[in-house]
Amino acid sequence: MVKNGRAAKATTTYRCAECGHEVSKWVGRCPECQAWGTVEERGVSRATRIVAGAPSSPARPIGEVDVESARARRTGVAELDRVLGGGLVPGAVVLLAGEPGVGKSTLLLEVAYQWAVKGAVPSLYITGEESAGQVRLRAERTGNIHGMMYLAAESDLAAVFGHVEAVRPGVLIVDSVQTMSSPEVDGTPGGVTQVRAVTASLVSLAKERGLPIVLVGHVTKDGSVAGPRVLEHLVDVVLQFEGDRHSSLRLVRGIKNRYGPADEVGCFELRDDGIVGVADPSGLFLNRREQDVTGTAVTVVVEGKRPMLGEVQALVAPTNLPSPRRAVSGLDSARVAMALAVLEKRGRMSLHNKDVFTATVGGMRLVEPAVDLAVALAVASAATDQPLPHDLVVVGEVGLSGELRRVNGVGRRLTEAARLGYTKALVPPDAGPLPPETRALVAHDLMEALQLLKLKK
């Protein structure tokens, strides 16, 4: 191109594979996301001048834009619809990420089946990791076989486009995006360049045809979505499929959603004959006992709009090691360490010569600040060998000075606890209106809470 009468000079640029940030020269660490070894040469870029062209459609006042074509359509899986914000929007691209074996393919087979049964519209399932026969066997085991379900084992993106032209599906499922490759793009399948190009092509297909597409993505060792970070920016919805291998409970957590809430959670139970939604999951995270047990505390967290009860367990044991152990499972290790420090300093409880183990029940992960008080009281109960009442729930955030801070939605949390039979609640001051059937115990700081529950020796 010519700019100011001279040809623009070609320059080589470099792009970060994680966040997409561009720099003019190679560096070992991305200045944007601080990742090491992710900056790669992009190639030659030239200064260009954009010439105005004819628009594909004229701009209209926003009040005249048709919204009926963008209405969400239910998938037939109620818990998934809850996370999606009502269902799949035409032209939306959903990325479902999760560890191997967690149940992603089983869930999406159910979605393809329900779409074909209730909508009488073909659904197309593309598998790049298994053969068509293997997927057929799973579909027979879970009872997800219908004449309007179409299945193809492909890893070539051009062949996938060909199947879309032939079937004309109402929903397209690609399992997984890391196995797809385009012959027009350099790089190996699953590489940064291929994954970015394949996703961009599928997004263009979805927008042009109004076709909802669900992509299955791999995760890294730390549980985040694998591939370049730009992958999450290209799609409309990012869902995280979580679950413990030793538990049948599965959670679908919304991370990004352009069409609905981004903090909603759907609960499922993985069975031998398929996967089913769990509309009331609170009881799954509790060990209901009729007698008091030391080292346990029940709390209520809010996942999206859904309050759920969870149980925190603690074990405190003497040790002769110079550095006592601090083991954490299902909790935020940083907040647990803070709670232990506040117990020692503000609660005057000696823990420096004891091993402390904290965990949750049922594979539930509790990272909300409202869990701080439950962690502190569970550890105090284990250290003093004094149990908490079995019909008590505790909700509150613990500050570094030992004060108890109010959290959002205390009334809604305690209403859920009262429904499950918990009649007492330890809450911070100014907690707001509480259910009439709940007896509230109010404490201003951690020391007062320990004295109120007789956890001080």
Side-chain angles (χ1 to χ4, degrees), residues 130-150:
E130 301 175 284
S131 67
Q134 291 173 321
V135 178
R136 165 65 189 271
L137 288 176
R138 184 189 301 114
E140 285 185 349
R141 176 173 56 85
T142 58
N144 294 326
I145 295 182
H146 191 271
M148 299 293 282
M149 289 176 61
Y150 288 81

Side-chain angles (χ1 to χ4, degrees), residues 117 187 361 436:
V117 170
V361 173

